[in-house]
Amino acid sequence: MSKKNKLILGDVLGMIILILADQFTKYLAVIHLKDKPVIPIIQDVLELSYLENRGAAFGMLQNQKIFFVFVASIILAVIVYVIYKMPVDRKYNKLHVFLTFIASGAIGNMIDRLRLDYVVDFISFVLIHFPIFNVADIYVTVATAFLVILILFFYREEDLRFLSFKQTKYRELK
């Protein structure tokens, strides 16, 4: 098996593990939180509270299942393209990890939308009245923040040239 295939296999296995963890936590939320009182974890800071989210953060775009599945599918297609085009080099390992987390979060929430018509949310950061979220949301949010930092401060433009759609070779003019 080539090194590239091993990396991609690692990405896929990582996604499977992360998706299973997300789905398991949502299963636990349904079993232990649905139609039950809020469970405080840290008083007035963090609590577990069941919510069936038919929209996005802050209640936006309610009942837009097709839109959310479409957007998630586009994001997943871009991630597959980037992983496929990514050179086999250690400097891209962090990129593999962050893309794996983002894809896992997108798939985890897409599974809910396709299966249930809503996303199970259950983590509530009440200190700042933040919207209720889930493990998949954490994957996407944290990994995207680190991905932006990585692209802005770690990689140089030539490190990301593999993302170009151009197939021509760059030659020096003499």
Side-chain angles (χ1 to χ4, degrees), residues 84-101:
Y84 176 75
K85 296 288 283 181
M86 197 181 314
V88 177
D89 190 321
R90 288 185 62 195
K91 70 180 167 185
Y92 298 106
N93 287 351
K94 290 178 184 86
L95 189 56
H96 273 277
V97 170
F98 297 142
L99 291 175
T100 297
F101 271 87

Side-chain angles (χ1 to χ4, degrees), residues 29-30 33-35 48-52 118 120-122 132:
V30 170
L33 299 172
K34 187 174 182 176
D35 300 323
L48 300 178
S49 176
Y50 182 82
L51 174 72
E52 294 175 358
Y118 56 85
V120 173
D121 287 338
F122 58 92
I132 300 175

Side-chain angles (χ1 to χ4, degrees), residues 69-122:
V69 170
F70 175 75
V71 169
S73 297
I74 297 296
I75 291 167
L76 291 171
V78 169
I79 289 171
V80 167
Y81 173 79
V82 171
I83 287 174
Y84 176 75
K85 296 288 283 181
M86 197 181 314
V88 177
D89 190 321
R90 288 185 62 195
K91 70 180 167 185
Y92 298 106
N93 287 351
K94 290 178 184 86
L95 189 56
H96 273 277
V97 170
F98 297 142
L99 291 175
T100 297
F101 271 87
I102 293 167
S104 300
I107 293 168
N109 282 340
M110 191 184 328
I111 288 169
D112 282 12
R113 288 191 197 285
L114 292 172
R115 190 171 62 91
L116 306 169
D117 287 334
Y118 56 85
V119 174
V120 173
D121 287 338
F122 58 92

Side-chain angles (χ1 to χ4, degrees), residues 124-153:
S124 181
F125 192 55
V126 294
L127 181 65
I128 58 171
H129 303 289
F130 198 77
I132 300 175
F133 55 97
N134 60 45
V135 172
D137 297 336
I138 295 169
Y139 294 164
V140 172
T141 304
V142 173
T144 300
F146 279 114
L147 181 65
V148 168
I149 291 167
L150 190 69
I151 289 171
L152 290 176
F153 300 108

Side-chain angles (χ1 to χ4, degrees), residues 12-82:
V12 170
L13 291 175
M15 282 184 225
I16 290 168
I17 291 167
L18 291 168
I19 292 165
L20 288 173
D22 169 65
Q23 291 296 300
F24 182 66
T25 59
K26 290 172 180 174
Y27 168 77
L28 291 175
V30 170
I31 298 299
H32 297 289
L33 299 172
K34 187 174 182 176
D35 300 323
K36 297 202 171 81
V38 169
I39 299 174
I41 302 299
I42 302 171
Q43 192 65 38
D44 298 325
V45 176
L46 183 68
E47 59 190 29
L48 300 178
S49 176
Y50 182 82
L51 174 72
E52 294 175 358
N53 185 355
R54 288 166 167 49
F58 303 103
M60 296 183 304
L61 300 169
Q62 289 292 310
N63 300 309
Q64 298 297 315
K65 173 183 167 178
I66 293 171
F67 173 75
F68 288 119
V69 170
F70 175 75
V71 169
S73 297
I74 297 296
I75 291 167
L76 291 171
V78 169
I79 289 171
V80 167
Y81 173 79
V82 171

